[in-house]
Amino acid sequence: MEFDLSVLNKENPYNINIEKFIEQFYGFIQINHLYDSAIHMIETKLEIIDSEFQSNFSRNPIHNISSRLKSPESIANKLIKKGIPITAESILSNLHDIAGVRVICHYIEDIYQIAHYLSMHDDIRIIKQKDYIQNPKPSGYRSLHLIVTVPVYLSTGKKVVPVEIQIRTIAMDFWASLEHQLRYKTKNNVPADLSKELRSLADTINSTDMRMEDIYHKINDLDDEE
């Protein structure tokens, strides 16, 4: 795509630096492609892990994989809050959650197995981990959060890109999705009694997760006895 800068500069009543704007514009397009490629790399690795489980153990630990890229508005707001210039370089240097992958598992133990197998890949480095399963948020939210870096090979060379991975069970995702919807339904703070009820439901769902996992192991034991 080519721009006729002479025409643009004539029609520029706000004295914007057109060349700088176009440079940043292309920079954001390249960043979008870079992070989208990083997501694809992570998703491919997860799919391979899942298919290997199917081959070795006749079951899939992963129920679903989804991904997202932060919107330009969200990226800009985050940089502004941090007092950082809105540039392609700032994004690469300061933000680790632009690319996000969510992994929904069947059982709690699957979460830790997936994280373990990812960590065994030579080209993946876990730079941050937050375990909201062992240490739930005050709201009751549970999930395992990882910030990893993955290499993306471009025509210009290798780029190491951060990706946020959230791993949770179906039950945890059910609660988190509805809780998020309920909180964003109102502009007001959720009353203390309702927050307490949401936390209680999160605990109930966690108990159900654990009981389902226990049943799963007992059924496996029956099969092993045959």
Side-chain angles (χ1 to χ4, degrees):
M1 185 187 298
E2 296 291 335
F3 289 94
D4 186 343
L5 295 182
S6 62
V7 173
L8 286 172
N9 282 316
K10 287 178 183 177
E11 299 175 357
N12 182 12
Y14 301 106
N15 295 316
I16 296 171
N17 186 325
I18 299 297
E19 291 185 0
K20 186 67 175 176
F21 172 79
I22 291 172
E23 179 185 328
Q24 293 295 341
F25 176 76
Y26 278 127
F28 287 124
I29 290 176
Q30 290 166 357
I31 279 180
N32 189 74
H33 171 261
L34 182 64
Y35 281 96
D36 191 54
S37 300
I39 284 174
H40 181 67
M41 293 283 289
I42 294 294
E43 287 179 329
T44 300
K45 289 176 178 295
L46 289 166
E47 288 166 1
I48 291 171
I49 291 170
D50 192 53
S51 63
E52 184 184 1
F53 259 77
Q54 176 61 44
S55 298
N56 294 342
F57 308 112
S58 299
R59 79 175 190 89
N60 299 95
I62 298 176
H63 173 71
N64 183 53
I65 302 171
S66 60
S67 61
R68 62 105 182 102
L69 282 174
K70 273 191 179 298
S71 68
E73 294 83 3
S74 179
I75 292 171
N77 286 334
K78 198 156 189 178
L79 290 174
I80 290 168
K81 285 180 181 178
K82 289 176 175 281
I84 297 169
I86 305 175
T87 64
E89 293 76 17
S90 293
I91 293 170
L92 286 167
S93 302
N94 297 284
L95 300 185
H96 289 159
D97 61 347
I98 293 173
V101 176
R102 182 172 295 161
V103 186
I104 310 302
C105 298
H106 292 99
Y107 301 105
I108 295 173
E109 66 179 31
D110 291 335
I111 294 171
Y112 295 103
Q113 286 182 324
I114 294 297
H116 171 68
Y117 287 124
L118 276 177
S119 71
M120 291 175 65
H121 288 232
D122 292 339
D123 56 352
I124 285 186
R125 186 166 70 93
I126 297 177
I127 59 175
K128 192 172 185 180
Q129 176 173 317
K130 288 188 177 180
D131 191 340
Y132 295 116
I133 300 170
Q134 298 298 322
N135 302 287
K137 289 186 177 184
S139 64
Y141 174 87
R142 286 174 169 84
S143 184
L144 181 66
H145 288 201
L146 307 175
I147 301 291
V148 307
T149 57
V150 61
V152 175
Y153 296 91
L154 305 173
S155 60
T156 53
K158 182 177 78 171
K159 295 283 187 181
V160 178
V161 185
V163 179
E164 181 186 50
I165 306 175
Q166 298 178 358
I167 316 177
R168 60 180 72 149
T169 64
I170 299 169
M172 292 173 192
D173 189 59
F174 161 76
W175 183 92
S177 298
L178 290 183
E179 191 266 355
H180 178 82
Q181 185 186 63
L182 290 169
R183 287 190 182 274
Y184 279 81
K185 193 89 172 168
T186 176
K187 295 179 181 178
N188 302 311
N189 291 327
V190 176
D193 59 330
L194 293 181
S195 292
K196 185 178 180 180
E197 188 171 354
L198 284 169
R199 173 64 194 238
S200 175
L201 286 170
D203 292 341
T204 300
I205 286 173
N206 182 61
S207 176
T208 302
D209 251 339
M210 295 173 70
R211 289 171 65 188
M212 290 296 290
E213 188 168 288
D214 184 54
I215 291 170
Y216 161 71
H217 284 299
K218 286 176 179 176
I219 289 175
N220 268 359
D221 291 342
L222 289 175
D223 290 339
D224 291 340
E225 290 172 5
E226 292 181 356

